[in-house]
């Protein structure tokens, strides 16, 4: 092979940058197409979950009324029956609030990640942290 046929460093760098640019553009196109599909599927899924939540709310209302009327079959006045059902919901709400507060107090900052992220600038400069 002849030295004259060898590519120059400038040509190699130009070819490499062109190839990297093409690769990045292809990756961006691929990401866009994947995201478009994912967003569409996610939107439909979220819509279906909203419909299910609405029906779930209707079911809770209907079961609450049914439960209250069931209590009236025991001879209890309807006002007391509905008050008992409402009281059950108050107790469940209080329990959910207490449990939510307890779980929120367990949330901590990602300390190891923060410490590692602080080391990145020094590592990029080639210095130990």
């Amino acid at each position: 092979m002849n030295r004259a046929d060898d590519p120059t460093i400038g040509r190699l760098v130009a070819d490499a940058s062109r190839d990297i640019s093409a690769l990045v553009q292809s990756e961006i196109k691929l990401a866009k197409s994947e995201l478009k599909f994912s967003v569409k599927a996610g939107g439909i899924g979220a819509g279906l979950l909203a419909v299910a939540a609405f029906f779930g709310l209707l079911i809770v209302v209907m079961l609450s009324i049914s439960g209250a009327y069931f209590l009236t079959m025991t001879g209890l006045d309807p006002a007391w029956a509905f008050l008992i059902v409402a009281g059950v919901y108050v107790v469940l709400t209080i329990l959910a609030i207490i449990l939510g507060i307890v779980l929120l107090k367990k949330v901590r900052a990602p300390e190891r990640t923060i410490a590692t992220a602080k080391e990145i600038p020094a590592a990029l400069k080639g210095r130990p942290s």
Side-chain angles (χ1 to χ4, degrees), residues 111-129:
E111 294 169 6
R112 288 189 296 180
T113 303
I114 292 170
T116 304
K118 287 180 181 178
E119 295 174 3
I120 291 174
L124 290 175
K125 292 178 183 176
R127 294 182 299 210
S129 56

Side-chain angles (χ1 to χ4, degrees), residues 5-126:
D5 294 335
D6 288 344
T8 63
I9 292 178
R11 184 171 161 203
L12 290 173
V13 170
D15 288 347
S17 71
R18 184 190 70 237
D19 292 344
I20 289 172
S21 175
L23 178 63
V24 168
Q25 289 175 358
S26 296
E27 288 296 321
I28 290 171
K29 286 180 185 176
L30 177 62
K32 283 181 180 179
S33 68
E34 286 179 337
L35 284 174
K36 184 178 179 181
F37 177 77
S38 293
V39 166
K40 183 178 179 181
I44 292 171
L48 290 173
L49 286 175
V51 168
F54 175 72
F55 286 143
L57 180 63
L58 293 178
I59 290 168
V60 168
V61 169
M62 294 304 293
L63 287 174
S64 299
I65 293 169
S66 299
Y69 277 116
F70 178 74
L71 288 175
T72 62
M73 291 173 30
T74 64
L76 195 60
D77 186 73
W80 286 109
F82 281 91
L83 189 62
I84 289 170
V85 170
V88 168
Y89 283 120
V90 168
V91 170
L92 289 175
T93 301
I94 290 170
L95 289 174
I97 289 170
I98 291 170
L99 182 61
I101 290 171
V102 167
L103 291 175
L104 283 175
K105 286 183 178 182
K106 290 184 179 182
V107 174
R108 300 282 182 246
E111 294 169 6
R112 288 189 296 180
T113 303
I114 292 170
T116 304
K118 287 180 181 178
E119 295 174 3
I120 291 174
L124 290 175
K125 292 178 183 176

